[in-house]
Amino acid sequence: MKVLVCGGAGYIGSNMTAMLREAGHEPVVYDNLSSGHQKAVKTADFVKGDLADFDMLVKILTYKQIDAVMHFAAFIEVSESVENPLEFYRNNVCNTHTLLAAMEKCNIDKFVFSSSAAVYGTPEKTPITEDAATNPINPYGQTKLAVERMCHCQSQTGRLKYAALRYFNAAGAGADGSLGEDHKLESHLIPLAIEAALGKKDEIKIFGVDYPTDDGTCIRDYIHIEDLCSAHLLALEKLNYENELIYNLGNGKGYSVQQVIETVKKVSGKNFRVVNDLRRAGDPPILTADATKAIEGLGWEVKYPELEAIIETAWKWHSENPNGYAD
Ligand code: UFG
């Protein structure tokens, strides 16, 4: 298939683009480079463009004869979403509306959407199944849920087939060593701990040590980037005969912030300062996935079930590329 990868210069989108190519598809990356890196696009045509630009989208979808769209181009920082909710709704919801309208105009009906565990808010029980209540506790999660609902309504018309993939914590780097995680403003735990291990930062802060967990720190479910992407490929294929797919993508295993930091120390062989800090707004104590539906429904196999193996790939990329794609 010819696949338009919106946000294909970003962390997840660039890995997806590489995997699409390897699987025999023809990816075309569409990215405004507001946070992505053109250097991360290695095996696809690249078009610099904005999702707000309906006419440009229609041109690209038509000219490139696109069959399906994958959409990774969204703002992701939860705390920023609390500061600037309108920006989040504009980029994550309004621009996705523009993209879906352009697809409709071009009669393209296959859509794979990056949703998030953030749609669940603070879950009543973990691991979370897809039928759990969706009560996002921040604007970021609300924008992801709003897009899921928009897709659902559009799918009811028969003009859209979509997969909403609810990511838990994407982590690690691609096996060939060429693609990694390089956010302009880094806020994620694993890359920040690695920066501390590399001596680029003096310390890592733990946001909250009084959560109701064994060691008092938050528990998350880390899923390797290649495992995340392989589920997208399977979902794309399944859209040939299904209209509406919703899956959790996680490992099903939780690790605390403290455990992640200890694992980064072990893998890197470096010690660094760890400072206990206050809770960060909008953090649920525990988020772990029940991914049985994706495993059974897609035939999805997780290659990296262990945190240590995931962190090893991240450490390798960051230590070989200490300045990210700027090298
Ligand atoms: N954390 C620290 N110190 C840091 C950074 C993070 O203690 O310097 C903690 C956070 O408070 C949280 C955990 O580490 O408890 C993981 O935080 P991340 O920022 O790495 O990831 P999140 O779980 O907050 O966010 C991820 C995605 C979001 C998505 C969310 C929903 O990045 O886009 O999962 O599951 F909304």
Side-chain angles (χ1 to χ4, degrees), residues 75-78 116-119 138 140-141 144 167-170 181 183 186-193 204-208 211 217-222 256-257 260-261 278-280 282-285 287:
F75 293 156
I76 59 165
E77 300 299 339
V78 171
S116 169
V119 299
N138 50 57
Y140 168 73
K144 290 288 173 182
Y167 307 165
F168 283 67
N169 289 58
E181 185 170 11
H183 297 295
E186 191 51 78
S187 67
H188 294 95
L189 178 61
I190 292 176
L192 285 174
I204 178 95
K205 287 186 175 140
I206 298 185
F207 297 138
Y211 283 99
T217 68
C218 284
I219 292 178
R220 292 290 180 272
D221 179 334
Y222 296 88
S256 72
V257 172
V260 170
I261 291 172
L278 298 175
R279 290 184 178 197
R280 192 174 69 174
D283 275 344
L287 284 175

Side-chain angles (χ1 to χ4, degrees), residues 79-283:
S79 54
E80 229 178 88
S81 79
V82 177
E83 295 286 314
N84 293 309
L86 292 184
E87 272 302 289
F88 268 65
Y89 273 84
R90 184 190 59 73
N91 191 41
N92 292 7
V93 182
C94 301
N95 287 353
T96 306
H97 171 275
T98 304
L99 174 61
L100 291 172
M103 287 173 62
E104 181 177 55
K105 182 163 172 96
C106 300
N107 293 314
I108 297 164
D109 66 354
K110 289 193 195 68
F111 186 59
V112 181
F113 173 61
S114 302
S115 189
S116 169
V119 299
Y120 296 113
T122 304
E124 273 175 21
K125 65 179 177 62
T126 54
I128 308 170
T129 48
E130 288 83 352
D131 56 6
T134 46
N135 288 313
I137 55 170
N138 50 57
Y140 168 73
Q142 287 162 10
T143 63
K144 290 288 173 182
L145 189 57
V147 171
E148 283 197 13
R149 288 183 171 155
M150 183 159 59
C151 290
H152 169 72
C153 296
Q154 180 70 351
S155 78
Q156 298 295 296
T157 68
R159 297 194 291 274
L160 184 73
K161 296 153 161 237
Y162 78 100
L165 304 179
R166 294 175 175 169
Y167 307 165
F168 283 67
N169 289 58
D176 81 345
S178 68
L179 298 170
E181 185 170 11
D182 180 6
H183 297 295
K184 280 175 188 153
L185 281 175
E186 191 51 78
S187 67
H188 294 95
L189 178 61
I190 292 176
L192 285 174
I194 288 177
E195 283 181 17
L198 287 169
K200 290 176 70 184
K201 285 202 169 351
D202 296 339
E203 62 190 28
I204 178 95
K205 287 186 175 140
I206 298 185
F207 297 138
V209 289
D210 57 349
Y211 283 99
T213 60
D214 282 351
D215 63 18
T217 68
C218 284
I219 292 178
R220 292 290 180 272
D221 179 334
Y222 296 88
I223 180 79
H224 191 265
I225 186 78
E226 285 185 357
D227 287 328
L228 204 62
C229 292
S230 69
H232 288 64
L233 265 191
L234 296 165
L236 179 66
E237 281 154 23
K238 197 163 179 173
L239 288 180
N240 284 320
Y241 52 93
E242 294 236 7
N243 295 342
E244 191 167 24
L245 304 170
I246 296 183
Y247 292 117
N248 285 339
L249 298 182
N251 251 316
K253 256 192 225 166
Y255 293 93
S256 72
V257 172
Q258 188 77 58
Q259 286 173 315
V260 170
I261 291 172
E262 289 311 317
T263 309
V264 170
K265 286 184 176 176
K266 182 176 171 204
V267 166
S268 65
K270 312 272 183 199
N271 200 7
F272 48 87
R273 204 152 73 97
V274 179
V275 176
N276 292 345
D277 202 349
L278 298 175
R279 290 184 178 197
R280 192 174 69 174
D283 275 344

